[in-house]
Amino acid sequence: MKPIPPDSVGLVTPARLRFAKPLALASGGALADYEIVYETYGTLNAEASNAVLVCHALSGSHHVAGYHSADDKRPGWWEHHVGPGKSLDTRKFFVVACNNLGSCFGSTGPASINPATGRAYGPEFPMVTVGDWVASQARLADRLGIRKWAAVVGGSLGGMQALQWAIDYPDRVAHTVIIAAAPKLTAQNIAFNEVARQAILTDPDFHEGRFYDHATEPRRGLRIARMLGHITYLSDDIMREKFGRGLRGGKLNFDYQVAFEVESYLRHQADSFVGHFDANTYLLMTKALDYFDPAGAADGNLAAVLAPVKADTLVIAFTSDWRFAPARSREIVKALHDNDLNVSYAEITASHGHDAFLMRIPRYVDIFTAYMDRVYAGLTS
Amino acid sequence: MIPARVDFRIIGDWIRPGSRVLDLGCGDGSLLAYLAESKGASGYGLEIDDAHVEECVRRGVNVIQTDLDAGLSEFDERSFDYVVLSLTLQAVRYPDRLLREMLRVGTEGIVTFPNFGHWRTRWQLGVLGRMPVSAALPHEWYNTPNIHLCTLLDFARLCEREQIEVLESQVVDHAHRPRLALRLLPNLLGEIALYRFRRARLP
């Protein structure tokens, strides 16, 4: 393999903690006993004041930066932003990234063994919400000796967790960075998720969520769900730029094999998704997205719900993101300034669509870094 | 602290301590930073330029990246003590609408703009027959962002028409120095005009 770049956190090993105290969930259920897998980068200072929590999005994990082995082909999903000298500078901050409950990357989820039955949870795994995740992350913070985060940051569904943190634990968050997020999903957004879920739920290999028992998985459904998702994460412009109407074999074949480059791309994305992502997790994550609506409890008045917030906030949106459009980020900004809270908002010109939050875009890097430098200056002053 | 620009000092003298300020076209955030430090003011800057937004974030000034021509609809009525528009009025698409918006969102407005009635401007246009270029108006006609230039008299007339009551005004030269002569012939000698105003109370 190539040598690990010097601005990477390098080789990292995930850690695991067990929580034997039941976690009450928004659904009314509870998880009696669960495990959280997480990674940390950098060093927690003596005052435990330099900790930053990174929250992951729908298909993300605790593996935010660095490499798991010398043979790893790819680093963590936010390598562009986490490491020595990067936006989340691991020489300054102690970065914590945890895998959310319900995931398929190590924390307790539908594929884990339910101690009550001795077999995989499958459909018995309770639905989890953004609020439930934040509560579980707060417990992780307790165990790590972190009373207050210097910042909670995240993109997309991760940004929603950052916002929820500021609402639920106002005294435990100094700053939030909310990237490519929204205060709730639109009907159109929920509709996309529903089509994705239907693809999985109607796959004959789904077996009511018990596909583990049948040594199979709903590959077709999961593939279609991922393809649909991918279309919505990109913009019309970037698809035109990347694929146009380019033909894979240079000519039309008059059959249903791959003709256009974009078809090849989608099939490749789908293929690399199945086999490493769990269909039940996909269902759970999309539901957590759909249900997220902190203002719902106050008749849609987000400003009222944000009244307890104390954190300073940076909100970032991307011009071509139509899944979580800049206007949706502005709703968060408005609700924060309606409460006279410190908030800044940057709208990054980018053609990558929603996926821009994962990219290394110079202006995005600069503004994120500028903000985190302020966060750090606040710790040391 | 760097000695403040004179126009900043004038604005600083005009506002009450602890005020809530919205700065339209806040640039690198230096005015808001100055008002925060000297007057304990707080608030937000609106700015469209990427580099300026980053500078604001770097200096810890709240900035919202937006286009002023899109209006101030996300701000509620009377949510600020002052809404400031510094050297930007001449570059917006609808200065009259923006003034109305300023006085919807804020109790008082503060505007500064380059005075097109300055003698040098008049000389260049009236005698030389060329579009004026000066320290206060450094652009050529073909690349200027300034699309709505006005004189002190023009601004006063707009205020009258919009039922805006001018509370204070001052002119300075391009180095933002107030000079005695400027007070005598402001529309001829003032290069930059500063106004503080509010919605006129109807009799």
Side-chain angles (χ1 to χ4, degrees), chain B residues 46-85:
Chain B
L46 306 187
E47 179 55 51
I48 194 168
D49 178 76
D50 291 346
H52 282 330
V53 169
E54 189 190 325
E55 286 165 325
C56 288
V57 167
R58 269 206 188 280
R59 66 170 78 212
V61 165
N62 293 321
V63 62
I64 295 168
Q65 188 162 27
T66 193
D67 183 355
L68 287 183
D69 284 330
L72 306 177
S73 57
E74 81 169 61
F75 295 95
D76 295 338
E77 278 178 36
R78 295 267 182 272
S79 37
F80 295 92
D81 299 312
Y82 302 93
V83 180
V84 180
L85 184 66

Side-chain angles (χ1 to χ4, degrees), chain A residues 122-285:
Chain A
E124 286 156 15
F125 194 86
M127 269 192 198
V128 280
T129 63
V130 168
D132 296 334
W133 284 333
V134 166
S136 70
Q137 290 158 0
R139 285 185 174 185
L140 175 65
D142 293 340
R143 291 277 285 274
L144 296 176
I146 297 158
R147 171 70 209 133
K148 183 175 185 173
W149 298 104
V152 177
V153 311
S156 190
L157 180 55
M160 295 171 178
Q161 291 161 60
L163 180 61
Q164 191 77 51
W165 257 100
I167 299 168
D168 290 352
Y169 299 97
D171 294 315
R172 299 193 68 175
V173 192
H175 295 266
T176 57
V177 181
I178 300 171
I179 305 165
K184 61 173 182 259
L185 263 58
T186 58
Q188 186 195 45
N189 236 320
I190 294 170
F192 283 124
N193 285 344
E194 174 58 6
V195 174
R197 283 190 296 267
Q198 283 301 319
I200 293 167
L201 293 167
T202 58
D203 186 321
D205 287 332
F206 182 62
H207 297 288
E208 311 291 316
R210 291 242 156 262
F211 50 88
Y212 317 107
D213 300 345
H214 298 78
T216 184
E217 61 174 332
R219 296 175 65 90
R220 284 161 290 182
L222 195 55
R223 291 182 88 253
I224 292 167
R226 186 58 171 172
M227 284 171 144
L228 175 69
H230 248 282
I231 298 167
T232 69
Y233 304 148
L234 298 177
S235 70
D236 188 21
D237 281 349
I238 196 85
M239 285 179 109
R240 189 177 301 123
E241 196 180 299
K242 274 174 102 159
F243 315 110
R245 288 180 54 86
L247 292 168
R248 195 83 182 129
K251 61 180 175 58
L252 300 174
N253 298 318
F254 296 94
D255 62 19
Y256 296 107
Q257 301 307 307
V258 165
F260 293 98
E261 292 285 358
V262 66
E263 295 173 307
S264 165
Y265 169 81
L266 285 177
R267 288 188 194 196
H268 171 74
Q269 289 299 327
D271 289 339
S272 54
F273 197 57
V274 291
H276 96 270
F277 207 85
D278 181 277
N280 281 320
T281 291
Y282 203 89
L283 296 175
L284 279 174
M285 294 282 171

